[in-house]
Amino acid sequence: GENVEQHPSTLSVQEGDSAVIKCTYSDSASNYFPWYKQELGKRPQLIIDIRSNVGEKKDQRIAVTLNKTAKHFSLHITETQPEDSAVYFCAAESTGNMLTFGGGTRLMVKP
Amino acid sequence: EAGVAQSPRYKIIEKRQSVAFWCNPISGHATLYWYQQILGQGPKLLIQFQNNGVVDDSQLPKDRFSAERLKGVDSTLKIQPAKLEDSAVYLCASSYSNNEQFFGPGTRLTVL
């Protein structure tokens, strides 16, 4: 089955700096890669996703890149703000619409 | 649009007791998922339904966990008997056809 590794597990940045979170996956058939943000005690919420026919996608301060050959994808947050502090999860979808999640990255943005 | 509803939000039980969780997906979403999220980890898929049929339950501990979605809408997840290691947040999610999964608020289970 699919296996998703996520790094780093914790990330501390100064407000205004950029943050990068990286994930690798094992199943070359995976074709959909969402990123979820989960604030403490709340539900995971989709913030951006990318499909395998696209190499990069951007939405305001958030961007995701995908390298299918190397089987890795990354989340980039620019001009970080304190409200970006949360746990971020990457995921990969293999056959049957099933998501496998990474272990999560706790992002702390210091004002 | 109403989101995914789950109940109860919190549950505390003794080990070896039984517990059931309920999920009501977003209207029109044919696919429903149950995930287990242990503290400090990512969600792990337990079971996926397409309408009232099971698509995948390969990670469901079938000796103690069961789930059903009899009419293709609401779903229940049951644990019987519960073990200490079942303490986690149980998340329900639903999706239509464009891959995005919408999560409910979860049920936090504590097994003592």
Side-chain angles (χ1 to χ4, degrees), chain A residues 2 25-34 49-55 66 68 71 73 91-100, chain B residues 98-99:
Chain A
E2 177 66 277
Y25 62 98
S26 61
D27 187 352
S28 56
S30 291
N31 56 16
Y32 173 66
F33 307 91
D49 56 13
I50 191 167
R51 300 183 188 278
S52 59
N53 58 345
V54 175
L66 171 65
K68 282 222 74 178
K71 290 191 279 189
F73 55 113
E93 181 188 86
S94 51
T95 54
N97 221 37
M98 290 179 288
L99 286 181
T100 300
Chain B
N98 63 347
N99 302 102

Side-chain angles (χ1 to χ4, degrees), chain A residues 31-32 36 38 41-46 49 51 89 93 95-104 106, chain B residues 3-4 9 31 33 35 37 40-43 45 48 55-56 91 95 98-101 103-105 108:
Chain A
N31 56 16
Y32 173 66
Y36 284 84
Q38 187 174 32
K42 297 194 176 179
R43 72 190 77 190
Q45 292 200 300
L46 182 74
D49 56 13
R51 300 183 188 278
F89 292 99
E93 181 188 86
T95 54
N97 221 37
M98 290 179 288
L99 286 181
T100 300
F101 283 82
R106 180 173 300 279
Chain B
V4 177
R9 294 295 312 277
T31 311
Y33 313 80
Y35 290 88
Q37 186 175 25
Q41 299 181 18
L45 180 68
Q48 177 185 346
V55 174
D56 186 273
L91 293 163
S95 68
N98 63 347
N99 302 102
E100 181 178 356
Q101 295 184 23
F103 284 84
R108 182 176 299 276

Side-chain angles (χ1 to χ4, degrees), chain B residues 18-82:
Chain B
S18 302
V19 65
F21 314 126
W22 173 82
C23 173
N24 178 240
I26 293 172
S27 178
H29 282 196
T31 311
L32 184 147
Y33 313 80
W34 282 102
Y35 290 88
Q36 179 192 59
Q37 186 175 25
I38 293 172
L39 187 64
Q41 299 181 18
K44 184 184 87 171
L45 180 68
L46 293 175
I47 188 167
Q48 177 185 346
F49 292 94
Q50 180 76 19
N51 295 308
N52 61 348
V54 175
V55 174
D56 186 273
D57 62 359
S58 57
Q59 298 193 92
L60 188 73
K62 298 181 188 62
D63 57 333
R64 297 182 302 105
F65 287 65
S66 65
E68 59 184 15
R69 194 184 183 201
L70 293 175
K71 296 183 178 179
V73 181
D74 294 2
S75 177
T76 55
L77 176 70
K78 296 179 181 177
I79 307 176
Q80 180 181 15

Side-chain angles (χ1 to χ4, degrees), chain A:
Chain A
E2 177 66 277
N3 182 50
V4 178
E5 299 284 341
Q6 183 172 346
H7 299 280
S9 56
T10 59
L11 179 59
S12 181
V13 300
Q14 206 66 38
E15 182 178 359
D17 287 351
S18 295
V20 180
I21 302 170
K22 299 181 179 182
C23 290
T24 61
Y25 62 98
S26 61
D27 187 352
S28 56
S30 291
N31 56 16
Y32 173 66
F33 307 91
W35 286 87
Y36 284 84
K37 176 183 180 182
Q38 187 174 32
E39 296 178 10
L40 188 63
K42 297 194 176 179
R43 72 190 77 190
Q45 292 200 300
L46 182 74
I47 56 170
I48 196 168
D49 56 13
I50 191 167
R51 300 183 188 278
S52 59
N53 58 345
V54 175
E56 184 173 355
K57 183 177 178 180
K58 189 172 182 180
D59 182 4
Q60 300 182 340
R61 297 186 297 109
I62 294 172
V64 58
T65 58
L66 171 65
N67 183 327
K68 282 222 74 178
T69 303
K71 290 191 279 189
H72 66 71
F73 55 113
S74 301
L75 178 71
H76 305 252
I77 306 174
T78 58
E79 302 171 25
T80 54
Q81 301 167 3
E83 51 265 39
D84 294 330
S85 296
V87 179
Y88 291 81
F89 292 99
C90 63
E93 181 188 86
S94 51
T95 54
N97 221 37
M98 290 179 288
L99 286 181
T100 300
F101 283 82
T105 296
R106 180 173 300 279
L107 174 64
M108 294 169 284
V109 181
K110 296 177 288 186

